[in-house]
Amino acid sequence: DLEKALLVGVVPADALVGSGVLPGDDGWDPLDLSTKDYFKQVQSYILSLVPERKIRIGDDEIPEQEPEAGAAMPTVGFVGEEERPPALILRDYREAEIRHGRLAMLAAVIWPLQEIADRIFIPDTFGSMTIVYGGPTLPFAPLLMTFFMLNLGYLDIYSSEIKENESGDAFLPGECFWDPLAIMEGAPDSMKRNMQEREILNGRASMIAVAAYIFEEGMTHKPVISLAANDLLFEPFFLVPFVQAWLDNQFGSVSYIDPLI
């Protein structure tokens, strides 16, 4: 049932942009995209490109029947050709935002770590390699990122199976149904909301950071950690040139010789 999530209160019916119901809601949607169900349109287009599945019975091939109206559709969350409530449309956009944010948080950390490791262990080739344009690099960080991406993909498959077979549309955006350390077990609703809001805000900042990495390396053809504009992020504070100049100005004229000697 399309209204299932709304009825059980997992996704409140008034969860629209600006309502403040969902965590991280800044009330900013100038193009009103949160009410346009592009997920449904995109899935319908993709399904139209997929060859019709057929079931072979003996020597005859019978086209597979379409799912009945009201049947659960995995990962996307719409049913048949019915129009979905705006709250569920917004829920799917939030789900996509959270997934992208999780990948961006990993990339925002692993990207500079890879370049720092290259500068330490292969200094002869450092500077000729960028993530955007490629070049000689250590394989460890890319393999680690690939490992994380595969695990996130597995969690998506795992959670989509639960959504399809158990919860239907009654799930929170970004819910993986996996908490091995039981961090959120027994936590009050206010704590859960704070954790969700922090994840969303960190994910948004990370997506902006990764976009900045791509722009900087694309324009300069240099690693992001070697750019002067990023010294405060990737260099020890006392090695930043303008900080050194300030320290010299403040303490360079101080005499440490005991005048009594």
Side-chain angles (χ1 to χ4, degrees):
D1 186 5
L2 273 175
E3 303 292 336
K4 180 179 179 181
L6 306 180
L7 292 175
V8 299
V10 175
V11 182
D14 55 350
L16 304 176
V17 171
S19 64
V21 174
L22 290 178
D25 181 9
D26 296 327
W28 190 74
D29 185 17
L31 301 180
D32 200 28
L33 295 176
S34 61
T35 61
K36 298 177 174 62
D37 200 355
Y38 291 124
F39 277 92
K40 181 177 181 178
Q41 298 175 24
V42 170
Q43 191 195 50
S44 298
Y45 174 74
I46 294 175
L47 290 178
S48 69
L49 302 177
V50 178
E52 184 180 19
R53 295 178 61 185
K54 297 181 179 180
I55 302 175
R56 178 176 293 276
I57 301 178
D59 296 330
D60 299 327
E61 289 187 350
I62 303 175
E64 189 174 1
Q65 294 182 353
E66 296 293 328
E68 299 178 359
M73 299 289 287
T75 68
V76 180
F78 67 83
V79 179
E81 297 297 328
E82 301 178 19
E83 184 177 352
R84 296 193 299 160
L88 293 186
I89 298 174
L90 179 61
R91 190 274 313 279
D92 283 349
Y93 281 118
R94 172 55 60 83
E95 174 106 350
E97 179 185 26
I98 291 174
R99 290 183 179 184
H100 283 85
R102 288 169 179 168
L103 281 175
M105 285 188 281
L106 290 170
V109 174
I110 292 178
W111 187 318
L113 283 180
Q114 176 181 348
E115 295 182 347
I116 291 172
D118 289 345
R119 182 171 61 182
I120 295 173
F121 296 106
I122 48 174
D124 294 339
T125 60
F126 177 74
S128 62
M129 190 285 300
T130 64
I131 304 296
V132 174
Y133 294 106
T137 183
L138 296 173
F140 308 113
L143 289 175
L144 182 63
M145 186 65 187
T146 302
F147 171 78
F148 283 132
M149 292 176 65
L150 290 174
N151 277 275
L152 286 175
Y154 171 77
L155 280 179
D156 282 344
I157 296 172
Y158 171 75
S159 60
S160 66
E161 287 294 323
I162 295 179
K163 294 169 187 175
E164 181 181 1
N165 299 320
E166 299 180 20
S167 66
D169 275 318
F171 64 89
L172 288 171
E175 177 64 73
C176 291
F177 304 97
W178 187 67
D179 185 14
L181 301 180
I183 295 175
M184 303 303 295
E185 185 176 348
D189 292 339
S190 59
M191 179 180 174
K192 292 180 180 179
R193 182 181 178 87
N194 287 338
M195 294 287 284
Q196 292 167 359
E197 187 160 354
R198 289 167 185 167
E199 179 184 32
I200 291 167
L201 294 179
N202 284 314
R204 290 171 180 171
S206 298
M207 286 187 280
I208 294 173
V210 172
Y213 293 168
I214 295 172
F215 176 79
E216 289 178 333
E217 288 201 354
M219 295 298 293
T220 65
H221 293 251
K222 296 179 180 179
V224 293
I225 66 170
S226 66
L227 300 178
N230 297 330
D231 282 346
L232 284 175
L233 295 175
F234 305 119
E235 296 289 347
F237 192 65
F238 61 89
L239 293 181
V240 178
F242 74 85
V243 174
Q244 286 184 332
W246 181 83
L247 292 173
D248 291 341
N249 183 57
Q250 293 295 317
F251 306 104
S253 60
V254 176
S255 176
Y256 297 97
I257 301 176
D258 190 341
L260 298 178
I261 298 177

